[in-house]
Amino acid sequence: MAKVLYEDQEKVVEDNSEMKKPCEELGVPFACSSGICGTCTVDIVEGEDNLTELSEMEEDLGMDKSQRLSCQCKIKSGDVRIRF
Ligand code: FES
């Protein structure tokens, strides 16, 4: 099982789940959901290695592992703490 944490809330998901659903439930705003607009950007406070590698869209936006598009990455396992 994997967990997405934000402040005092947490969402438990299956390993290798998309980040979109738990992030949406935690209040992250979404718009395009296809890696273009940057609306769903979150800072990764802990657990950046528990996410999949950066997508081409994230690289094009100049992101690194500490800042991700939550519509573009998956959580492999373990805990990931976000801030937005
Ligand atoms: S919602 Fe537009 S980049 Fe994720």
Side-chain angles (χ1 to χ4, degrees):
M1 294 298 251
K3 221 185 310 179
V4 184
L5 303 108
Y6 170 64
E7 294 184 341
D8 61 349
Q9 303 174 67
E10 59 179 49
K11 295 290 169 192
V12 176
V13 294
E14 298 289 325
D15 288 350
N16 302 307
S17 294
E18 291 183 358
M19 282 286 278
K20 184 170 188 283
K21 186 165 180 277
C23 285
E24 208 161 25
E25 290 173 358
L26 290 167
V28 176
F30 286 83
C32 72
S33 293
S34 49
I36 296 165
C37 70
T39 304
C40 66
T41 300
V42 293
D43 293 328
I44 308 300
V45 183
E46 283 171 31
E48 59 186 32
D49 290 333
N50 294 335
L51 296 173
T52 47
E53 294 302 310
L54 290 161
S55 69
E56 211 176 297
M57 287 85 148
E58 290 173 308
E59 283 178 353
D60 287 351
L61 288 170
M63 293 179 151
D64 61 26
K65 288 167 107 183
S66 66
Q67 201 183 44
R68 304 295 303 263
L69 293 176
S70 41
C71 71
Q72 293 297 302
C73 54
K74 289 185 176 180
I75 182 166
K76 296 185 285 189
S77 66
D79 294 358
V80 172
R81 179 170 287 280
I82 62 167
R83 186 169 53 205
F84 60 93

